[in-house]
Amino acid sequence: MARGGEYILDIIVCIKAVPETNDLKINSQSNTVVREGTKSVINPFDVYAVEEGLRIREREGGTVSVVSMGILSSEAILRETIAMGADKAILLNDRCFGGSDTLATAYILSRAIKKINKFDLIICGRQSIDGDTSQVGPELAEKLNIPHITCVSKIEKISRDSIVCRRLTEDGYEIIDVSLPALITVTKGINEPRTPRIKDKLKAKNVPIRILNAEDIHADINYCGLKGSPTKVIKTFTPFYQNKCEIIYGTLEEKAKELVNKLLARDALSEFRDIFEEQDNSGYNIQRFGSPMFPIHIESKGPQIIGYDSNLKNEYRGIWIFGEQKNNTLSSITFELLGTGRRLADKLGVPLCAVIFGEDIEELAHVLAQNSADKVYMVDHPSLKHYIDELHTDVFVQLIRKHKPEIVLIGATTYGRSLAPRIASRLNTGLTADCTDLDIDLEKRLLLQTRPAFGGNLIATIICPEARPQISTVRPNAIKEKIASRIPTGRVIRENVTIPKYLRSKIVETVSNETEIVNLIQAEIIVSVGRGIGCPENIPVIENLAKILNGAIGATRAVVDLGWIDYSHQIGQTGKTVVPKIYIACGISGAIQHITGMSTSNIIIAINNDPNAPIFKVADYGVIANLMDFIPVLTSELANKIENYTKK
Ligand SMILES: Cc1cc2nc3c(=O)[nH]c(=O)nc-3n(C[C@H](O)[C@H](O)[C@H](O)COP(=O)(O)OP(=O)(O)OC[C@H]3O[C@@H](n4cnc5c(N)ncnc54)[C@H](O)[C@@H]3O)c2cc1C
């Protein structure tokens, strides 16, 4: 325990054991992860959380206690944190904890933390690389009734009463001030974790690890494990990557021409046209792009949630989407949700409603009403000018309790992935993160939520059989449904809600990164750079290509770790997950951790001088060339073609 700073802070770090991705084995019969013999490691984001806790303690004094819920062998990862310098390690282990979803996990952790008693700050990793939900942190904060900040890339200031953090957003960052006690989730780049010395590793072997079971932490077993989990996985399957790569041969000019012609033939450059159809007087028009990735069948019954009156669920009707806006501009995910919500509402025969919060947003509410929403619930208030987790949760929950929707869809954006778990935790209902497909089982009146897990190695279909509403966050760009303006337009309803007078969170500053050409998550085209670029001075070649395509720039971890580009560009397991229309991988080998973040892109183009690079296994088109020779040729070919194409 170190002392010396102005304040003494007691910090709790929550960590999870995850299977090592390079070692992941899937049982092809049962479509489950083979745990036996698979090496477990500390979830990579949690290592940053431990390091940050230790750094605060070293500056300010205090204690760092590390908590993990898991099987007995998770002791090994707790010992690693002791070797790094943690003061205490606690393992939550009980047979009844098995099969917990994120809500049940948050409940168990909250019981344990209440038992530990005094804490000032809880630090979690941004997400786990197996479940990849980002939900446990905000759900835990809600269970403990403390404020939280997700995606923290820097702690600006910490005092006895408050913490000021930099939170990464899609287009920059925000500085947020919250009062302590609080919970933060940290992202890669916040620090460089230390490597424990051999001496400390040996010492850690003999340190006792405290093991607590359900009784020790006074946990109600009805809220633990499978029994206490409102969501249930009903089907898992492995994604099928067909080795479909078409290698393009010829001189550099011939390759560039051929590639551009192929993209034009597939209408892949159509984003240069208006994405919305002309107004259709006959009413609304929904057109799905493609069918669900895989057929979906219900294979087993969901669990009965003890203490939940399933008759109540019949009171919940209708589908809601969250109209996310920033600076009074609707985000593109909002239109995607309107398209998906409309399809699901029509299938169920219920109205589609949108909710929108902000200041002076009446115009935006009418845009939602003109684009598929039957009703728009609007809360227009100066306090809602900026997105604040606590406040938005409060307002959203008041509306849900009043109107009782059966399904709520929220974008899987930085805000959405912070807001949805807080709402789900307050309502004790199920939440499925980052869905890439949604459908309805009409017979059972259930939302079928499909999403990747284990870094995309498995796809799972999840239901929430009893608790209501069923809440999903939806991956941007993943479910493309065209919407058209509709006549008659929906109704805008001004809602009066109670706005809390005192808030524990405050937005100090919002910064948009103007050097970014386009927001990476929502970009239609991404040009991504790997170590094959050779040196940072060559990156403008990639930028020129991205510029001509109005695309965003992605990167591999190798390039980020070399300091050639900022972490906000990193794509993959410990970076962002993207689903653009076109992904151009330049000098990228195709490691599984990178593929995880981009493999569901519509069209993948790989440019690499090694014909055996694994990236060609997931690419649609491959060009074997030195990228520094080929990319300028491709850029000028595209410039010519796009000019002609958009003139038509
Ligand atoms: C826990 C963990 C998490 C990770 N998370 C991520 C993540 O989120 N994202 C991520 O990207 N990685 C991640 N990694 C790292 C990942 O394993 C790879 O090391 C990384 O993706 C490799 O980056 P790269 O393809 O740029 O570099 P390399 O593997 O070095 O590949 C460079 C490629 O460039 C090609 N090349 C070289 N010169 C040229 C040229 N002149 N013209 C054309 N091609 C050329 C080479 O043939 C090679 O294929 C993670 C690793 C771990 C262990």
Side-chain angles (χ1 to χ4, degrees):
M1 187 189 307
R3 304 247 179 241
E6 235 179 298
Y7 316 107
I8 291 174
L9 295 162
D10 291 312
I11 298 166
I12 294 174
V13 181
C14 300
I15 69 165
K16 184 181 183 190
V18 294
E20 157 88 87
T21 20
N22 286 330
D23 199 30
L24 197 69
K25 295 178 201 80
I26 306 287
N27 180 328
S28 56
Q29 303 295 308
S30 61
N31 282 326
T32 51
V33 172
V34 181
R35 302 266 179 186
E36 301 77 38
T38 300
K39 195 176 163 216
S40 283
V41 292
I42 308 182
N43 175 44
F45 288 105
D46 300 347
V47 184
Y48 299 106
V50 175
E51 177 64 33
E52 204 54 29
L54 295 174
R55 287 182 187 207
I56 297 171
R57 185 197 61 187
E58 281 156 10
R59 273 197 317 270
E60 314 294 346
T63 58
V64 174
S65 307
V66 182
V67 182
S68 185
M69 185 188 92
I71 52 176
L72 286 173
S73 61
S74 303
E75 258 197 54
I77 60 156
L78 286 167
R79 284 191 197 286
E80 279 179 49
T81 68
I82 296 280
M84 283 175 78
D87 299 290
K88 265 191 281 179
I90 299 156
L91 177 64
L92 309 176
N93 173 267
D94 196 307
R95 195 176 276 269
C96 77
F97 296 163
S100 292
D101 71 359
T102 61
L103 188 75
T105 304
Y107 169 74
I108 294 162
L109 287 171
S110 73
R111 296 308 310 168
I113 288 168
K114 280 179 183 157
K115 164 99 182 172
I116 294 169
N117 204 356
K118 191 180 159 302
F119 69 91
D120 300 290
L121 180 66
I122 299 175
I123 313 181
C124 303
R126 187 187 87 180
Q127 67 201 68
S128 65
I129 60 164
D130 53 357
D132 200 13
T133 68
S134 310
Q135 287 173 191
V136 171
E139 286 183 332
L140 173 59
E142 177 60 32
K143 291 267 168 271
L144 293 167
N145 189 20
I146 56 173
H148 80 268
I149 311 175
T150 54
C151 288
V152 170
S153 65
K154 190 176 177 200
I155 294 179
E156 301 278 345
K157 209 170 107 193
I158 188 160
S159 69
R160 191 191 305 276
D161 306 315
S162 71
I163 183 165
V164 182
C165 297
R166 181 182 288 220
R167 183 233 298 260
L168 289 181
T169 59
E170 280 79 5
D171 61 350
Y173 64 88
E174 290 170 342
I175 306 288
I176 307 176
D177 184 340
V178 299
S179 62
L180 293 179
L183 180 148
I184 61 171
T185 74
V186 298
T187 192
K188 187 191 155 187
I190 189 167
N191 55 47
E192 194 52 55
R194 67 197 69 190
T195 311
R197 295 173 300 182
I198 306 267
K199 191 177 89 178
D200 294 327
K201 280 188 174 181
L202 291 173
K203 225 162 99 188
K205 283 198 164 145
N206 300 319
V207 172
I209 305 282
R210 199 168 159 205
I211 300 178
L212 300 176
N213 63 21
E215 208 181 315
D216 296 327
I217 59 173
H218 307 297
D220 179 340
I221 57 165
N222 292 317
Y223 294 106
C224 301
L226 274 178
K227 209 176 187 181
S229 298
T231 58
K232 175 153 173 63
V233 177
I234 53 161
K235 183 175 161 64
T236 54
F237 40 98
T238 43
F240 176 60
Y241 296 126
Q242 207 178 6
N243 198 346
K244 56 197 168 165
C245 186
E246 188 181 331
I247 300 288
I248 296 173
Y249 296 100
T251 62
L252 291 177
E253 287 73 18
E254 285 164 354
K255 285 174 180 167
K257 262 198 175 69
E258 174 90 10
L259 183 58
V260 175
N261 284 338
K262 286 195 182 295
L263 294 178
L264 289 174
R266 287 179 66 166
D267 206 23
L269 299 173
S270 60
E271 59 283 348
F272 295 99
R273 291 198 208 126
D274 189 0
I275 57 163
F276 293 109
E277 289 183 349
E278 292 300 309
Q279 189 161 307
D280 173 0
N281 288 340
S282 64
Y284 50 84
N285 171 20
I286 305 154
Q287 187 196 330
R288 266 209 100 191
F289 289 141
S291 51
M293 271 189 300
F294 301 92
I296 294 163
H297 309 284
I298 297 256
E299 286 179 349
S300 63
K301 276 194 166 172
Q304 187 73 25
I305 307 295
I306 307 294
Y308 179 83
D309 180 356
S310 55
N311 288 327
L312 277 182
K313 77 179 181 192
N314 296 327
E315 291 178 12
Y316 286 75
R317 284 291 178 265
I319 295 186
W320 279 19
I321 67 109
F322 176 52
E324 187 174 322
Q325 60 92 10
K326 195 171 181 184
N327 301 327
N328 284 32
T329 304
L330 287 167
S331 63
S332 59
I333 183 70
T334 300
F335 292 97
E336 294 171 27
L337 294 179
L338 282 166
T340 306
R342 185 73 260 168
R343 170 175 56 90
L344 300 177
D346 288 349
K347 195 160 179 184
L348 268 174
V350 294
L352 172 68
C353 305
V355 284
I356 182 160
F357 314 137
E359 185 186 20
D360 293 332
I361 46 157
E362 191 153 358
E363 214 176 294
L364 300 188
H366 284 286
V367 173
L368 299 175
Q370 285 155 11
N371 285 282
S372 281
D374 297 304
K375 280 186 206 162
V376 180
Y377 297 115
M378 171 183 79
V379 183
D380 198 331
H381 193 280
S383 311
L384 292 161
K385 183 175 165 68
H386 296 293
Y387 170 78
I388 298 175
D389 287 302
E390 272 191 286
L391 182 56
H392 278 64
T393 303
D394 232 77
V395 171
F396 215 135
V397 167
Q398 287 181 56
L399 294 187
I400 290 175
R401 287 196 170 129
K402 179 174 168 191
H403 296 285
K404 298 188 169 51
E406 61 197 302
I407 291 170
V408 176
L409 308 181
I410 296 175
T413 57
T414 305
Y415 291 163
R417 291 184 86 161
S418 187
L419 173 68
R422 193 115 206 176
I423 295 172
S425 185
R426 188 164 310 174
L427 295 171
N428 262 322
T429 190
L431 167 63
T432 302
D434 205 22
C435 295
T436 51
D437 194 30
L438 291 170
D439 208 343
I440 299 284
D441 173 9
L442 268 180
E443 196 190 318
K444 298 190 173 70
R445 209 182 171 92
L446 286 177
L447 181 64
L448 303 171
Q449 306 159 94
T450 298
R451 68 177 305 264
F454 291 97
N457 286 289
L458 268 186
I459 309 283
T461 299
I462 296 168
I463 55 169
C464 174
E466 300 300 334
R468 289 293 175 273
Q470 305 158 84
I471 309 181
S472 311
T473 59
V474 181
R475 183 180 288 187
N477 275 341
I479 314 178
K480 299 265 175 82
E481 330 221 19
K482 224 170 183 179
I483 51 166
S485 303
R486 59 172 301 194
I487 293 175
T489 63
R491 207 151 51 92
V492 174
I493 300 159
R494 192 177 280 273
E495 285 282 340
N496 285 319
V497 296
T498 311
I499 302 283
K501 283 202 179 75
Y502 168 72
L503 283 180
R504 297 168 295 185
S505 320
K506 189 169 71 193
I507 306 287
V508 180
E509 196 186 351
T510 303
V511 179
S512 290
N513 186 351
E514 284 171 6
T515 58
E516 287 274 292
I517 303 169
V518 184
N519 169 343
L520 201 54
I521 299 282
Q522 292 176 354
E524 293 275 349
I525 299 182
I526 293 175
V527 184
S528 226
V529 56
R531 204 188 333 234
I533 192 72
C535 61
E537 289 72 29
N538 289 341
I539 290 180
V541 172
I542 303 290
E543 286 170 350
N544 288 343
L545 176 58
K547 209 170 194 170
I548 205 89
L549 288 165
N550 194 23
I553 295 175
T556 62
R557 173 169 152 179
V559 177
V560 171
D561 286 353
L562 283 163
W564 295 354
I565 201 163
D566 188 70
Y567 167 63
S568 57
H569 293 266
Q570 185 179 316
I571 290 168
Q573 190 182 63
T574 45
K576 290 179 174 147
T577 300
V578 294
V579 197
K581 229 173 191 177
I582 305 176
Y583 187 89
I584 308 180
C586 309
I588 293 176
S589 58
I592 178 70
Q593 295 90 353
H594 185 76
I595 303 281
T596 293
M598 45 63 79
S599 62
T600 50
S601 306
N602 282 7
I603 298 176
I604 298 171
I605 299 165
I607 302 160
N608 200 302
N609 62 4
D610 174 5
N612 297 317
I615 189 76
F616 290 121
K617 291 200 179 119
V618 292
D620 296 86
Y621 301 111
V623 174
I624 300 163
N626 181 328
L627 67 92
M628 289 306 291
D629 296 334
F630 179 66
I631 288 183
V633 180
L634 177 64
T635 307
S636 76
E637 178 62 24
L638 274 163
N640 294 337
K641 277 280 165 42
I642 287 169
E643 203 183 340
N644 295 338
Y645 187 69
T646 46
K647 267 187 203 155
K648 275 185 196 168

